Amino acid sequence: MNNSTVCLANATVCDGASCVVPEDDFNTTLSVVLSTVLTILLSLVMFSMGCNVEIKKFLGHIKRPWGICVGFLCQFGIMPLTGFVLSVTFDILPIQAVVVLIMGCCPGGTTSNILAYWVDGDMDLSISMTTCSTLLALGMMPLCLLIYTKMWVDSGIIIIPYDKIGISLVALIVPVSIGMFVNHRWPDKAKIILKVGSITGVLLIVLIAVVGGVLYQNAWIIEPKLWVIGTLFPLAGYSLGFFLARIAGQSWHRCRTVALETGMQNTQLCSTIVQLSFTTEELNLIFTFPLIYSIFQLIMAAISVALYVAYKKYYRKNNMELPEGKGNEPVPESSFQKENEGFQPDEKHTPVDQKEKF
């Protein structure tokens, strides 16, 4: 029998109708290229994030760390615990639970800083929280994974690639540190880099979705459980972060800042860690979750910003007491934003009413 009529031309072993064909190298090559490009682009994003940090203001928050401590408790206390509870409640696969936990341990990104500006938050606190959570993730992410995945690891169901996760985190600390130095030495150039980094962050999400769709086609067969978790997780982060900050006695504009920093995770970082740390078979089960989380965290953030802007306009229209002789021109927002005091109607507008009472 002529095996050439049965087997493919590139078969290495032929025995009748049984053939061994070499594995297609295209997906392997594309995976390596994706990992490399993701690392480079994410490094640029983290570098630009560092360019947004003013060392003097950052050190000022370190000396008065109450706000950062509240943010730390939210970021590495509430979020990993929420991820664990959701994973157990919906009974997802252990490997999927690991990715949910990694997402919960990821720091905030530049998007949270932009949103904090839109809701008149404390910009210095937002940037300081993002920077601190990025630096602390180096130790806190492996620690949280060690705590919350113990029951699956001890039973031998999964193995956590701590070495690969650690290398990914260490590699990202360097560009953040360099960015801080650039902003300190060349602040004008740092502003340009920050804009480039913001655009790169958007391109990174698109690249992850497109190339990931080619590489891990089975990953797009998404279980409804993951959609539900991807919806509830950011909502819980925003809500719990806000209420915990309020319980801790933070002002309203700081509560909004902490809420955004808690719920708004660096999904690009999560996707890169997942891509670099897990096998192709595992990625088919988990690759899309960071994208799901990214979609819903942006939708909820957009709704929150829209509600805040509508409330602010309504309040000013109905309650603002305008000074006489100013041509009925409202006080510009920039004066509030420059002081980082946010929109605080109780403090800004009650003195007039109190004078009338007395």
Side-chain angles (χ1 to χ4, degrees), residues 331-339:
V331 178
E333 290 183 17
S334 59
S335 62
F336 298 146
Q337 293 165 348
K338 288 180 180 178
E339 296 173 5

Side-chain angles (χ1 to χ4, degrees), residues 13-308:
V13 177
C14 291
D15 183 11
S18 300
C19 305
V20 177
V21 181
E23 184 179 356
D24 187 5
D25 291 334
F26 175 75
N27 280 359
T28 303
T29 304
L30 188 59
S31 179
V32 173
V33 172
L34 176 62
S35 299
T36 305
V37 173
L38 284 181
T39 304
I40 295 172
L41 291 180
L42 185 61
S43 297
L44 179 57
V45 172
M46 303 303 284
F47 173 57
S48 68
M49 190 188 78
C51 289
N52 198 28
V53 180
E54 294 184 25
I55 296 179
K56 290 183 179 180
K57 293 183 178 179
F58 176 69
L59 294 177
H61 275 287
I62 296 296
K63 293 177 181 178
R64 298 186 300 274
W66 184 233
I68 291 180
C69 289
V70 173
F72 173 84
L73 181 60
C74 293
Q75 186 66 66
F76 297 111
I78 288 179
M79 291 301 284
L81 178 59
T82 303
F84 176 76
V85 171
L86 289 173
S87 299
V88 173
T89 301
F90 289 95
D91 193 28
I92 59 178
L93 296 174
I95 189 64
Q96 294 172 332
V98 171
V99 177
V100 173
L101 288 169
I102 291 176
M103 177 60 73
C105 297
C106 280
T110 54
T111 306
S112 61
N113 304 146
I114 297 172
L115 291 171
Y117 175 82
W118 285 345
V119 299
D120 298 335
D122 188 329
M123 290 301 299
D124 293 338
L125 176 61
S126 176
I127 295 169
S128 297
M129 284 181 60
T130 300
T131 306
C132 286
S133 61
T134 301
L135 298 175
L136 292 172
L138 179 62
M140 292 306 300
M141 183 181 291
L143 177 61
C144 290
L145 289 175
L146 179 65
I147 294 172
Y148 290 110
T149 62
K150 185 175 177 57
M151 66 178 185
W152 296 306
V153 172
D154 289 348
S155 61
I157 299 177
I158 57 173
I159 299 176
I160 307 297
Y162 289 108
D163 53 343
K164 296 180 180 179
I165 294 174
I167 292 172
S168 302
L169 291 171
V170 170
L172 296 174
I173 298 300
V174 176
V176 173
S177 303
I178 296 175
M180 293 173 65
F181 174 77
V182 169
N183 188 30
H184 177 69
R185 193 71 181 272
W186 304 285
D188 293 336
K189 294 181 179 179
K191 293 179 181 179
I192 298 174
I193 296 173
L194 180 60
K195 294 179 181 179
V196 174
S198 301
I199 297 173
T200 304
V202 176
L203 294 177
L204 186 55
I205 295 176
V206 175
L207 177 67
I208 291 171
V210 173
V211 181
V214 175
L215 272 175
Y216 316 113
Q217 297 179 6
N218 293 335
W220 295 101
I221 305 174
I222 304 170
E223 296 181 11
K225 295 178 181 179
L226 289 181
W227 283 106
V228 176
I229 293 175
T231 306
L232 295 178
F233 203 1
L235 178 61
Y238 291 134
S239 304
L240 295 175
F242 183 89
F243 287 117
L244 181 62
R246 194 57 187 164
I247 291 172
Q250 298 296 295
S251 59
W252 289 111
H253 71 296
R254 284 197 164 197
C255 290
R256 295 193 294 270
T257 304
V258 172
L260 288 171
E261 288 293 329
T262 303
M264 183 65 66
Q265 303 294 78
N266 192 336
T267 54
Q268 300 99 320
L269 174 60
C270 182
S271 295
T272 303
I273 291 176
V274 168
Q275 171 67 26
L276 297 177
S277 303
F278 296 96
T279 65
T280 302
E281 292 75 14
E282 293 169 333
L283 287 170
N284 278 313
L285 297 171
I286 62 180
F287 188 79
T288 50
F289 181 76
L291 299 175
I292 295 173
Y293 188 99
S294 180
I295 291 170
F296 286 104
Q297 76 171 0
L298 290 173
I299 290 175
M300 292 176 187
I303 293 173
S304 299
V305 170
L307 290 175
Y308 174 75

